[in-house]
Amino acid sequence: MFCGDTAEHELLSDIIFHNISKFLIDNRSMCGRIKDNLSPSKVLKDECVLSIHQHITTSLQRLPRSLNAPFVDRVFCGFRYDAFHKSMLYRLLTLLAPLDDNQLQALAEVGICFQVSLHSYDEARVGHFRLCDGYNRPNETVVTFFTPNREDVQTRGKRLQSILGQVSATPDIVTVCRSVRDGYTPRTHFRQIENLILDALKNRYSRSRGEGIQIMYDRDLLGGKDGWWHRHTCSEQV
């Protein structure tokens, strides 16, 4: 259903998925019992399908101009007829409708995103979507699974400052990787972690250079500069 080749497509697709999940929560009486074996002709007349299709259209029109056309027209896979869009939407609804409100809320928060970064060497997976729960799952990773609290993160930030203070060389460029897409960095702490790292770099190298450091953000970052967590705050206010 969703296709894309830009960061805008990724964000828009997730916004649509988020809106669908929220719509199902708010319209249980209409969509809670959607059948999974409707004929193509009945799909096009189904009240839930038509209502969500209209809801998506209206929601996209209310987005900030920076996220609106021409990206909206290209976020859906290139089916020739509108009926195919409704058919794919119906297939998604049959998967989501049986879930309870807590499950739908969790899916809305997790969202969907590209399987890999747009800059990945794995070209076969670029532009394809998945549930954005990362790859660092319990019992499915070679990395020790650990969820820190704010105090743990703060302690490691201080440790980083100490380490940088012992490094005599002054680099010209430092690359910081968020590691949010793959799930290595806990999303609820990513902003705290990133701020601690940037503060440590500023404290160490601004003094040595006698001037501030310049921070540049990749335009294709997951969720943009502000990040993936709480990414729907702005869209829900428009």
Side-chain angles (χ1 to χ4, degrees):
M1 177 175 177
F2 301 108
C3 295
D5 52 19
T6 70
E8 290 84 2
H9 291 159
E10 181 175 45
L11 182 56
L12 276 173
S13 297
D14 176 69
I15 289 174
I16 294 170
F17 181 81
H18 179 270
N19 287 344
I20 290 173
S21 301
K22 290 291 190 179
F23 186 93
L24 289 173
I25 293 174
D26 296 335
N27 295 272
R28 278 292 180 187
S29 59
M30 182 195 308
C31 300
R33 297 182 180 179
I34 189 169
K35 298 179 180 179
D36 61 0
N37 57 353
L38 292 179
S39 64
S41 60
K42 290 185 177 180
V43 167
L44 299 180
K45 299 177 182 178
D46 184 81
E47 182 182 13
C48 180
V49 173
L50 293 177
S51 296
I52 289 188
H53 189 270
Q54 180 59 46
H55 176 70
I56 292 173
T57 302
T58 302
S59 298
L60 292 178
Q61 291 172 346
R62 295 170 55 203
L63 287 174
R65 184 173 299 178
S66 60
L67 284 177
N68 216 315
F71 303 116
V72 170
D73 297 333
R74 297 173 54 195
V75 74
F76 298 107
C77 297
F79 301 121
R80 185 175 180 181
Y81 301 108
D82 183 63
F84 284 103
H85 289 290
K86 290 186 173 68
S87 176
M88 294 300 294
L89 176 59
Y90 166 70
R91 291 176 61 184
L92 177 60
L93 293 178
T94 58
L95 295 174
L96 297 179
L99 303 179
D100 62 36
D101 289 356
N102 289 333
Q103 291 171 320
L104 286 171
Q105 180 63 39
L107 285 178
E109 292 179 2
V110 171
I112 59 173
C113 62
F114 290 144
Q115 293 182 10
V116 295
S117 167
L118 291 171
H119 302 294
S120 173
Y121 65 88
D122 191 355
E123 296 183 0
R125 299 169 65 191
V126 172
H128 295 281
F129 285 87
R130 69 186 301 273
L131 191 63
C132 205
D133 59 342
Y135 295 94
N136 190 37
R137 304 185 184 97
N139 304 319
E140 294 184 13
T141 176
V142 296
V143 180
T144 302
F145 191 82
F146 172 67
T147 301
N149 55 37
R150 293 187 63 84
E151 290 72 24
D152 293 327
V153 175
Q154 195 69 32
T155 298
R156 296 192 179 204
K158 293 179 180 179
R159 187 180 303 168
L160 175 62
Q161 288 202 36
S162 176
I163 293 173
L164 290 177
Q166 301 174 42
V167 177
S168 58
T170 300
D172 293 322
I173 297 176
V174 176
T175 301
V176 178
C177 181
R178 283 180 174 172
S179 294
V180 174
R181 187 187 299 276
D182 61 13
Y184 183 79
T185 300
R187 294 182 183 180
T188 53
H189 295 299
F190 111 84
R191 178 57 65 195
Q192 181 192 11
I193 294 171
E194 184 169 302
N195 287 339
L196 285 171
I197 293 174
L198 294 180
D199 287 345
L201 292 171
K202 291 175 184 177
N203 291 336
R204 171 64 179 86
Y205 297 116
S206 292
R207 290 196 302 269
S208 63
R209 290 178 179 272
E211 58 184 15
I213 63 174
Q214 182 180 11
I215 301 175
M216 301 179 65
Y217 293 86
D218 190 312
R219 70 174 303 277
D220 293 326
L221 278 173
L222 180 65
K225 177 181 176 180
D226 294 331
W228 195 246
W229 196 249
H230 299 312
R231 63 200 178 281
H232 296 294
T233 302
C234 294
S235 64
E236 289 178 347
Q237 293 176 349
V238 297

